[in-house]
Amino acid sequence: MSVTPIRLLGDPVLRTPAAPVVDFDAELRRLVADLTETMHAAGGAGLAAPQIGVGLRVFTWYVDGEVGHLVNPSVDLVGEETEEAPEGCLSIPGYRFDCRRHLHVVATGWDQHGDPLRVEGSHLLARAVQHEVDHLDGVLFVDRLDPGARAAALAELAGADWTGMGAWVPRVEVSPH
Ligand code: NI
């Protein structure tokens, strides 16, 4: 296991849809271990493989003291209830913006051994799952902000000293929840 540098906004890997995992092998288990360790070292609630430069559909989370991971996830948004709350991203360090997310989700996928896994989450866990699955599609949480909030966020991020903001281009247009 090793702590791996986290890619920052402006890195093309964050805008590239990740590929499904095919082999549930030792390499996958090392990836899950690296994601988990890197997430803990950074103090994050979740981390997706593209954030450490690996284009595979894997993410980890650490919410309410529970750590988990999911491979090749698909997420169902449950019900119509949403919640707006401050959200951040380890790839956009130092910034938090209010983002509206579904309150409840059910995510299904596989664990690192290839066994099926189902995760039900609300509030922060639901938010983390939606955020991380977005990463696997090249979507960042700032893409999910309301247009006005997004413009304000962009203006703020333009002052960030850790990336070339010329790379700020939503890869896909997403509709707000
Ligand atoms: Ni993130």
Side-chain angles (χ1 to χ4, degrees), residues 35 39 43-48 51 59-63 90 128 131-132 135:
L35 280 169
M39 173 181 69
L47 190 64
Q51 292 181 275
F59 71 89
T60 57
W61 71 85
Y62 179 59
V63 175
L90 294 176
H131 179 116
E132 300 311 328
H135 269 302

Side-chain angles (χ1 to χ4, degrees), residues 27-49:
E27 201 176 330
L28 174 65
R29 290 187 280 280
R30 189 162 58 243
L31 172 60
V32 170
D34 287 349
L35 280 169
T36 304
E37 191 173 338
T38 302
M39 173 181 69
H40 285 319
L47 190 64

Side-chain angles (χ1 to χ4, degrees), residues 58-105:
V58 183
F59 71 89
T60 57
W61 71 85
Y62 179 59
V63 175
D64 297 335
E66 300 236 351
V67 64
H69 69 275
L70 205 49
V71 179
N72 296 346
S74 62
V75 63
D76 286 323
L77 307 172
V78 178
E80 298 299 319
E81 273 183 284
T82 61
E83 179 179 68
E84 191 175 64
E87 190 164 320
C89 178
L90 294 176
S91 293
I92 311 177
Y95 293 86
R96 290 175 79 77
F97 303 108
D98 283 349
C99 185
R100 185 165 293 283
R101 295 286 189 181
H102 269 78
L103 195 54
H104 308 287
V105 302

Side-chain angles (χ1 to χ4, degrees), residues 6-16 89 91-93 135 138 140 142 157 160 162-170:
I6 294 176
R7 306 298 182 93
L8 300 179
L9 177 64
D11 191 315
V13 73
L14 296 175
R15 290 307 196 180
T16 305
C89 178
S91 293
I92 311 177
H135 269 302
L140 300 174
V142 277
L157 287 171
W162 37 260
T163 188
M165 284 304 298
W168 170 267
V169 180

